[in-house]
Amino acid sequence: MRRFLYASCLFLAINPLKTSAQVGEADALRYSQDILGGTARFAAMGGAFCAVGGDLSTLGYNPAGIAVYTKNQLEITPGLTLQSTNASYNGTTTTSTSSVATLQSLGFVATGKVRKKSKDDVGGWKSYNFGIAYNRMNNFNDNVTIQGTTNKSTLLDDLTTQANGNNYNTLNNVDGFRVAPAWNAYLLDTLPNSNGSQYMNLIQPSLDAGLGSILQTENIQTSGSMGETDITFGGNYNDKLFLGGTIGIVDVDYNLTDTYTEQALYNDPTFGFSNYTFAQNLSTSGTGINFKIGAIYRILDWLRVGAAINSPTFFSMTDNYSTTWTANYSTPTVFNGDQGEVVPPSPQTTYNYNITTPMKAIGGVAAVINNQGLISVDYEYVNYSTISLNSGDLGSGYTTPLNNAISQDFIQANNLRVGFEWVLYPISLRAGYAMYGNPYNEGTVGYSSVRNTYSLGVGLKVNNVAFDLAYTLMQYSEQYQLYSEAAPTTLKTNISDIIFTLAYTFDPPKKHMHRRERYMNYPPPPPPPPGAY
């Protein structure tokens, strides 16, 4: 269970945006003034939007981007995610694939003009904006299979070490989800003359005697998603300074089934062991809240800079966790004559806890090229070692070691995003690259992992309707261990996202004009004809 709490901290905090594709308004004739883009622009340009704006994704990134809007906009973004993972373990490589259709974003932005006191009042606040949008931050649908043979060790070695020194009557207190069920499935046995407190497992003696090897298989299936509903306000000051703030409400739904099997590739004359399966099931749900503020400043008509601070997300989570053990034996000569399948009771528990993810600091610059192109660069700083977990259900004796492990195993990461766009009105061509820096402390974890994302996109705008298509490819590799004595498994993952967005842009309704304002806007009366006076 501790392993999965540790994993919960990671999937809530470390995974970058995999499939964010949102909308803007493309207008090549006003490119230097508004820098608004087409749908799927955020994904196609690598997410480099801190100084760009005019896109629903910026509501949860740099909320000042909402102040760049000059019109109302409604958008919807469906997508398709394809994932493949190659796992290499003890010389055996397996390939697993998964696919899922998703709703990436849905939102609306409203724009209002600031009323002027006089027609000569041209400075100050120009407009204000309100937006609400749902953006999918992570897609957890995945399927990974790891398989290989070994004649050196077994997962039961870990359980044997954990059980040693404890009487078999107290194993449920040691670990009621792994050690006690393994004992009840006869996979662990006490050593003679140990007073029931020293243990052996059924597999290791056969491996040590050179009888053969075991086939180890782990299948990890996950599903669910994490999305954020952003409520954002922004304002445009003198077409120079754009400010915004967001309240983000995050929802999490995560389900995992982890099935691990060890099968004897030999005949066991002593215990009659054939195989066993250890399955873990985890269902996680919860909500979180965060806050974001940001600014974009137009230094020149062709140059903008942006900055944003994203607060930590404060999650309240609930986990339902259970394990199931099944052991199979070929002879009835041991263990009270049991033969065939042995299934001990399946323990389960529900616990509540809180997770705080790291804050983020983001800076960016965007430059317009000849009123027709755009290049943007973003830098993001995240310190993953500040992830923290607490729980009244589990107690500090359980959560303190987890927090210590997180602070030791993770470090600060530097993320870089670059985007490019060229407009051949009404068509826009886009490309992007993003590099998410290594969050792991290589000295304690033993490896590093850098995630690279490559993207391409095209947009078409016809009157008030925009159609955009983006393709992104994320690639990364990580190491994974089946158990403490197992050889590391190398996982190489490719995640492809195909994203389509449809957006409709329209002018805000005309407001009732105050009598004084109508008077200011009336043209002066014509001069009297000659001789009128």
Side-chain angles (χ1 to χ4, degrees):
M1 185 173 68
R2 178 172 295 169
R3 176 182 180 185
F4 288 106
L5 269 177
Y6 187 88
S8 296
C9 297
L10 306 190
F11 76 68
L12 289 175
I14 288 185
N15 288 345
L17 300 182
K18 295 180 179 179
T19 55
S20 293
Q22 284 81 30
V23 158
E25 173 195 356
D27 189 343
L29 299 178
R30 301 175 60 192
Y31 205 94
S32 62
Q33 173 66 23
D34 293 319
I35 316 184
L36 298 175
T39 35
R41 194 185 187 200
F42 181 84
M45 294 178 63
F49 262 69
C50 186
V52 179
D55 187 288
L56 276 187
S57 63
T58 61
L59 275 63
Y61 183 55
N62 180 2
I66 194 175
V68 178
Y69 278 92
T70 59
K71 295 182 179 181
N72 296 344
Q73 184 166 281
L74 177 67
E75 72 129 81
I76 184 171
T77 304
L80 176 65
T81 298
L82 308 172
Q83 183 160 337
S84 67
T85 301
N86 290 332
S88 299
Y89 174 58
N90 284 347
T92 301
T93 299
T94 56
T95 300
S96 309
T97 61
S98 64
S99 62
V100 62
T102 60
L103 174 64
Q104 295 299 326
S105 69
L106 176 67
F108 173 74
V109 172
T111 300
K113 301 295 183 181
V114 174
R115 182 178 297 171
K116 301 300 181 181
K117 295 182 179 180
S118 69
K119 61 180 180 180
D120 296 326
D121 186 4
V122 295
W125 293 100
K126 296 285 188 179
S127 61
Y128 55 90
N129 304 76
F130 167 78
I132 182 168
Y134 170 83
N135 290 313
R136 176 162 294 200
M137 302 171 64
N138 276 305
N139 168 36
F140 299 131
N141 290 271
D142 197 7
N143 177 33
V144 176
T145 298
I146 303 167
Q147 189 173 74
T149 60
T150 183
N151 59 3
K152 297 180 179 180
S153 64
T154 166
L155 169 65
L156 299 179
D157 291 338
D158 282 4
L159 307 189
T160 303
T161 301
Q162 194 174 352
N164 280 336
N166 299 278
N167 187 273
Y168 61 85
N169 290 318
T170 64
L171 291 182
N172 200 60
N173 296 328
V174 175
D175 187 339
F177 293 92
R178 302 199 311 164
V179 176
W183 163 264
N184 292 327
Y186 310 127
L187 297 169
L188 303 182
D189 193 14
T190 55
L191 291 174
N193 304 318
S194 67
N195 295 320
S197 60
Q198 295 296 317
Y199 299 83
M200 59 168 283
N201 65 68
L202 271 62
I203 295 178
Q204 197 61 52
S206 298
L207 298 182
D208 292 341
L211 294 182
S213 59
I214 57 174
L215 175 66
Q216 299 171 315
T217 305
E218 182 168 11
N219 178 251
I220 305 170
Q221 293 184 337
T222 58
S223 63
S225 64
M226 180 165 65
E228 182 173 281
T229 300
D230 295 311
I231 303 170
T232 304
F233 296 89
N236 169 4
Y237 185 82
N238 205 28
D239 289 332
K240 283 284 189 180
L241 178 63
F242 306 88
L243 300 174
T246 290
I247 298 174
I249 302 171
V250 185
D251 61 276
V252 179
D253 177 32
Y254 178 79
N255 300 284
L256 176 143
T257 299
D258 186 335
T259 305
Y260 179 83
T261 300
E262 290 189 339
Q263 179 179 354
L265 301 179
Y266 56 85
N267 293 321
D268 184 355
T270 305
F271 305 108
F273 170 75
S274 178
N275 62 75
Y276 78 87
T277 298
F278 167 45
Q280 302 178 85
N281 295 282
L282 174 67
S283 175
T284 297
S285 61
T287 58
I289 188 169
N290 58 51
F291 308 93
K292 308 175 185 72
I293 58 173
I296 296 175
Y297 185 74
R298 185 162 63 94
I299 301 175
L300 301 168
D301 285 345
W302 59 273
L303 181 64
R304 290 184 181 188
V305 295
I309 297 293
N310 294 184
S311 79
T313 301
F314 305 95
F315 282 102
S316 177
M317 308 294 296
T318 298
D319 280 13
N320 294 290
Y321 177 72
S322 64
T323 62
T324 302
W325 288 78
T326 303
N328 288 283
Y329 300 92
S330 58
T331 63
T333 57
V334 294
F335 307 127
N336 300 320
D338 285 318
Q339 181 182 10
E341 187 176 78
V342 179
V343 183
S346 301
Q348 56 184 348
T349 186
T350 299
Y351 48 92
N352 302 297
Y353 58 98
N354 299 316
I355 290 180
T356 302
T357 67
M359 67 174 294
K360 298 179 182 179
I362 310 167
V365 60
V368 177
I369 306 170
N370 196 33
N371 287 344
Q372 193 172 5
L374 171 70
I375 185 168
S376 58
V377 180
D378 285 5
Y379 166 78
E380 180 180 81
Y381 173 84
V382 188
N383 187 353
Y384 292 110
S385 67
T386 62
I387 302 170
S388 65
L389 179 146
N390 66 79
S391 172
D393 289 356
L394 299 173
S396 61
Y398 202 96
T399 58
T400 298
L402 281 173
N403 289 327
N404 291 338
I406 290 170
S407 63
Q408 294 172 6
D409 292 347
F410 296 93
I411 58 175
Q412 65 275 9
N414 302 295
N415 303 327
L416 180 67
R417 293 180 276 263
V418 180
F420 175 77
E421 178 178 54
W422 195 258
V423 179
L424 303 171
Y425 196 78
I427 296 176
S428 300
L429 305 177
R430 306 176 183 114
Y433 167 76
M435 185 276 292
Y436 296 91
N438 171 45
Y440 301 109
N441 183 350
E442 194 168 358
T444 59
V445 177
Y447 68 93
S448 63
S449 178
V450 176
R451 302 190 177 202
N452 295 287
T453 299
Y454 310 90
S455 54
L456 293 171
V458 60
L460 171 66
K461 186 175 182 184
V462 181
N463 298 324
N464 292 337
V465 181
F467 308 88
D468 286 86
L469 183 68
Y471 171 79
T472 67
L473 172 63
M474 174 181 286
Q475 296 179 320
Y476 62 93
S477 63
E478 293 180 313
Q479 289 187 353
Y480 177 84
Q481 277 191 288
L482 302 180
Y483 51 93
S484 64
E485 298 299 321
T489 300
T490 300
L491 303 177
K492 295 183 178 181
T493 301
N494 292 330
I495 302 174
S496 297
D497 287 302
I498 303 171
I499 305 157
F500 173 77
T501 310
L502 174 65
Y504 178 68
T505 303
F506 55 97
D507 291 321
K510 294 183 179 180
K511 295 183 178 180
H512 174 72
M513 189 176 296
H514 191 272
R515 182 175 59 184
R516 181 180 60 186
E517 195 171 359
R518 288 200 304 268
Y519 173 77
M520 289 189 303
N521 290 329
Y522 283 156
Y533 296 102

